[in-house]
Amino acid sequence: MGANLQRGRRLRPVDLARGHGLSTQAVRNYEESGILPAADRTPHGYRAYTPLHAQALRAFLALVPGHGHRTATSIMQAVNEGAAEEAFRLIDESHAQLLADRRTLQTVERALRALAPTTAPEPATALPLPGGTFIGPLARELGIRPATLRKWEHAGLLRPHRDPRTGYRVYNDADVRDARLTHQLRRGGYLLEQIAPLIAQVRAAGGLEPLEAALTDWHGRLSARGRAMLTGAAELEAYLRERGEQSSPTVPSRPTRPAG
């Protein structure tokens, strides 16, 4: 590595590792994978790190909670290869994914709220039999074709049982709930494979009300990711500045305006 990047006091692998609860082997692995810039070697062959490497390590560890290990690694590799624009693109993708996840949560919450006033279908149409409804009345209630309900069933979103006398599909209260939730999410543009895990979560929770805690936790995790991205951005900016200060000429200060 050039002398510019090596300017400053020398640090041993243990010096970098100690402050973050890492092993010295982990620090060496980070260097070998391109997360840290390559270190110079002493005449005896030992790695000689600098404060620049320490800042690179801080930046990487700060990026991981918000972007994940793989993306954080790619970001650091791009920076160390001089491809800052690629690093920024990767960061943009993570922010776009976070925004998409927020919109998904909002759609789920709207869908659940839309179910609240219609949890008691009319007995004359939606519940022709005690404890269940047939496919025709349910399809009419949702404003869709019976074939759509069968398609949702084949996708695992609905699990109606069969009337032992007629062989017709019978949808119980849980099936009706899942059909309404699926209908709301489909109207929001979600694919069946995207809806399936949400329906599974409703079933695992035992209904809609227990999902309130899950939604609150979902909000918390998204907020934590957002703040983690801010922290990672600050540390990465510090690393970029340090690389720039050591590899670019000093920018002359702006002259002060004369008094008077």
Side-chain angles (χ1 to χ4, degrees):
M1 172 179 286
N4 283 340
L5 292 182
Q6 286 297 327
R7 191 174 63 190
R9 64 188 180 92
R10 288 183 176 179
L11 300 171
R12 301 167 299 168
V14 67
D15 297 323
L16 269 65
R18 186 181 293 128
H20 301 286
L22 301 172
S23 67
T24 55
Q25 184 59 50
V27 172
R28 289 190 286 267
N29 291 343
Y30 288 158
E31 180 193 345
E32 291 171 1
S33 63
I35 293 170
L36 305 182
D40 277 345
R41 298 278 183 157
T42 68
H44 298 288
Y46 295 111
R47 287 176 171 84
Y49 293 118
T50 69
L52 180 69
H53 295 89
Q55 181 57 47
L57 181 59
R58 284 193 295 270
F60 170 70
L61 295 177
L63 287 168
V64 169
H67 299 271
H69 193 280
R70 178 179 297 179
T71 299
T73 297
S74 297
I75 291 170
M76 294 302 297
Q77 289 172 336
V79 169
N80 291 328
E81 292 169 2
E85 288 298 319
E86 172 63 12
F88 299 151
R89 185 192 67 78
L90 292 167
I91 292 170
D92 289 344
E93 284 188 349
S94 287
H95 281 282
Q97 183 58 59
L98 178 59
L99 179 58
D101 290 345
R102 287 191 184 280
R103 287 173 174 165
T104 297
L105 175 56
Q106 291 170 354
T107 299
V108 171
E109 288 179 322
R110 284 196 299 268
L112 295 179
R113 284 196 299 269
L115 295 181
T118 58
T119 52
E122 296 180 5
T125 57
L127 293 176
L129 292 178
T133 182
F134 289 138
I135 191 170
L138 180 57
R140 286 194 296 272
E141 178 195 330
L142 298 177
I144 59 178
R145 297 179 302 168
T148 300
L149 289 173
R150 289 192 286 269
K151 182 178 180 181
W152 294 352
E153 178 185 346
H154 294 156
L157 303 177
L158 304 178
R159 299 185 298 192
H161 64 276
R162 297 277 183 168
D163 186 299
R165 296 170 300 169
T166 64
Y168 294 158
R169 291 174 173 84
V170 179
Y171 299 83
N172 61 24
D173 291 344
D175 296 319
V176 173
R177 174 203 67 203
D178 294 346
R180 290 176 179 149
L181 180 56
T182 298
H183 183 50
Q184 291 292 333
L185 293 172
R186 287 292 291 142
R187 290 177 62 184
Y190 285 84
L191 302 176
L192 297 183
E193 54 265 31
Q194 295 172 310
I195 297 172
L198 300 175
I199 296 295
Q201 189 172 14
V202 172
R203 290 172 180 161
L208 299 176
E209 291 185 5
L211 278 182
E212 290 298 326
L215 294 176
T216 299
D217 178 66
W218 194 350
H219 273 290
R221 286 186 283 111
L222 291 179
S223 295
R225 271 173 60 195
R227 294 196 67 171
M229 286 181 177
L230 291 176
T231 301
E235 293 292 351
L236 182 61
E237 171 63 14
Y239 179 52
L240 289 170
R241 285 181 179 274
E242 189 160 347
R243 283 177 60 91
E245 290 170 359
Q246 293 187 353
S247 60
S248 302
T250 302
V251 178
S253 59
R254 180 180 298 177
T256 57
R257 294 181 61 183

